[in-house]
Amino acid sequence: MTVTRAEFEAVWPSLVQDLVEHIKTTGLPTNAVNWYEKNLNYNCLGGKYNRGMSVIDTASILKGATLSKDDFTATATLGWMTELLQAFFLVSDDIMDASITRRGQPCWYRAPEVGMIAINDAFLLESAIYTLLKKRYRTHPAYLDFIELFHDTTFQTETGQLADLLTAPEDHVDLDNFSMDKFSFIVVYKTAFYSFYLPVALALHYLQLSTPGNLKQAHDILIPLGHYFQAQDDFLDCFGTPEQIGKIGTDIQDNKCSWVVNTAISMATPEQRKVLDENYGRKDKEKEAKVKEVFQQLKIDHIYQEFEEKRVQEIRGLIEKVDESEGLKKEVFESFLRKIYKRSK
């Protein structure tokens, strides 16, 4: 089965109810309880839900059948915990990046009357994960595994964010600080673990299929898949149209340590490198155009197509070698790859 957005969203109100009832036990004033509920809904709803819905889809593939109502609700709840983790990261990230909008509305810290209260609200989004885990999974055999997995994934993502912030601060451009090795570390730790490995590991733990062998196989395929996904995202940011990708690409002006600029740095002539040094990471459309001109000269679009085909071939080779004897299935990884390969948005 492939879960729909409507089916996934239908589980959310009962989780909000659990969380609100829990916070009320503290004696929190009514206005603060209402604020907490608004925080949950504002920051968790309206995204693509790719991470959350992947928990359900993975469990369905592993079971080889449509999930029972109980299994659907349980895996959807774990999915919503990944969305809470995502919300925690995004609220924090938007403050650090001084972002303006998120999902077509003002970033939470820019919403009326919020401001830096958003920092505490981010902490509350994270703590909601563990409130739900305790309420819904305390008797599950994998309860401790769930807790450790969320803690480990949070730490990994924060590590990636630290490397990103130190490598590519928006207010200080130094392309000598960039490298493909740094790009790889940032995307693996900041994106791949929580976007790809976490949903599959949650499904494996829930179904009690989380043998060391299965978890290692999942890790060894999903981390390269996440790396490929981010390189693809970086390429689309520079080469995709706003109509195509649903947003205006900002990586060049934001001084991002992206796959595109690192590829260009590795190939640029001294003259082209000078153009990159003088124009990359500046909030200026004309300077951005000069950077894109260098990317065109270097034929980065052709290099990306070669990279994509090579990387996908490597990932398919890893999938082909999956040992299914302990309940893992190749289809889990094939379904991820199908959603990503040659995507245009």
Side-chain angles (χ1 to χ4, degrees):
M1 69 175 285
T2 300
V3 65
T4 65
R5 286 176 59 89
E7 289 170 331
F8 185 59
E9 285 185 330
V11 176
W12 177 244
S14 69
L15 304 182
V16 173
Q17 185 178 351
D18 281 356
L19 292 167
V20 168
E21 286 177 358
H22 175 73
I23 207 166
K24 281 180 178 178
T25 64
T26 65
L28 192 68
T30 301
N31 67 326
V33 172
N34 293 339
W35 181 283
Y36 176 64
E37 184 171 357
K38 183 180 179 182
N39 172 25
L40 290 168
N41 288 318
Y42 193 99
N43 292 302
C44 294
L45 297 175
K48 297 175 184 174
Y49 307 141
N50 287 339
R51 295 162 185 83
M53 294 194 297
S54 291
V55 182
I56 307 166
D57 290 341
T58 299
S60 180
I61 292 168
L62 291 170
K63 289 205 80 169
T66 301
L67 297 175
S68 67
K69 185 178 179 181
D70 286 348
D71 282 342
F72 178 86
T73 301
T75 53
T77 300
L78 290 168
W80 274 112
M81 289 178 203
T82 70
E83 295 297 325
L84 280 161
L85 187 66
Q86 160 90 330
F88 161 51
F89 292 148
L90 295 184
V91 170
S92 307
D93 198 48
D94 287 342
I95 296 170
M96 288 181 259
D97 290 349
S99 299
I100 307 299
T101 60
R102 169 73 63 183
R103 297 168 178 167
Q105 59 185 356
C107 296
W108 179 239
Y109 82 99
R110 292 179 62 89
E113 302 179 3
V114 178
M116 289 304 107
I117 298 172
I119 296 172
N120 193 63
D121 288 337
F123 299 156
L124 286 167
L125 292 168
E126 183 194 22
S127 69
I129 296 166
Y130 302 99
T131 299
L132 290 174
L133 274 175
K134 187 174 181 180
K135 182 171 180 62
R136 300 273 183 121
Y137 298 92
R138 201 158 190 272
T139 60
H140 192 283
Y143 178 58
L144 181 58
D145 294 311
F146 288 141
I147 291 173
E148 290 187 345
L149 179 60
F150 274 108
H151 279 311
D152 289 346
T153 305
T154 302
F155 174 70
Q156 287 156 342
T157 309
E158 290 164 350
T159 303
Q161 175 74 341
L162 176 61
D164 192 15
L165 291 168
L166 295 178
T167 300
E170 282 196 50
D171 58 349
H172 178 68
V173 181
D174 181 2
L175 297 187
D176 285 337
N177 206 23
F178 286 10
S179 71
M180 199 58 88
D181 284 343
K182 284 185 179 177
F183 163 78
S184 295
F185 180 89
I186 291 166
V187 302
V188 165
Y189 278 81
K190 186 176 175 179
T191 300
F193 276 110
Y194 95 94
S195 299
F196 290 87
Y197 179 73
L198 175 62
V200 173
L202 285 169
L204 287 168
H205 282 306
Y206 175 73
L207 296 173
Q208 297 181 61
L209 295 173
S210 54
T211 64
N214 281 349
L215 289 172
K216 185 177 189 310
Q217 288 188 100
H219 172 279
D220 291 351
I221 295 171
L222 293 165
I223 298 307
L225 196 66
H227 183 281
Y228 157 51
F229 170 84
Q230 189 59 54
Q232 182 184 59
D233 209 55
D234 292 350
F235 174 78
L236 290 171
D237 187 275
C238 288
F239 288 86
T241 64
E243 295 76 22
Q244 183 183 24
I245 63 176
K247 64 178 181 179
I248 297 171
T250 60
D251 283 2
I252 294 172
Q253 291 195 31
D254 290 347
N255 191 36
K256 292 294 183 183
C257 180
S258 75
W259 180 89
V260 176
V261 73
N262 277 295
T263 300
I265 288 169
S266 70
M267 303 167 56
T269 64
E271 293 78 12
Q272 290 169 328
R273 174 59 191 265
K274 188 170 186 291
V275 173
L276 293 177
D277 284 330
E278 292 174 354
N279 295 281
Y280 195 80
R282 272 68 169 192
K283 306 288 187 186
D284 183 313
K285 278 286 181 185
E286 291 183 8
K287 290 181 183 292
E288 180 184 49
K290 290 179 181 178
V291 172
K292 286 190 172 183
E293 188 178 337
V294 172
F295 290 168
Q296 296 286 357
Q297 292 167 1
L298 294 170
K299 294 184 167 53
I300 298 293
D301 52 341
H302 296 295
I303 293 164
Y304 171 76
Q305 288 163 11
E306 292 172 3
F307 160 83
E308 180 173 49
E309 292 307 319
K310 182 182 178 185
R311 178 49 57 94
V312 169
Q313 190 174 0
E314 290 168 353
I315 293 169
R316 283 178 174 153
L318 293 171
I319 294 172
E320 192 57 38
K321 294 176 183 174
V322 167
D323 177 1
E324 297 184 330
S325 65
E326 295 182 319
L328 191 58
K329 294 186 179 178
K330 296 174 185 176
E331 174 59 21
V332 168
F333 310 108
E334 289 167 352
S335 68
F336 271 93
L337 188 55
R338 279 196 301 272
K339 292 173 188 172
I340 298 169
Y341 180 51
K342 295 291 187 185
R343 74 186 173 100
S344 60
K345 61 182 180 179

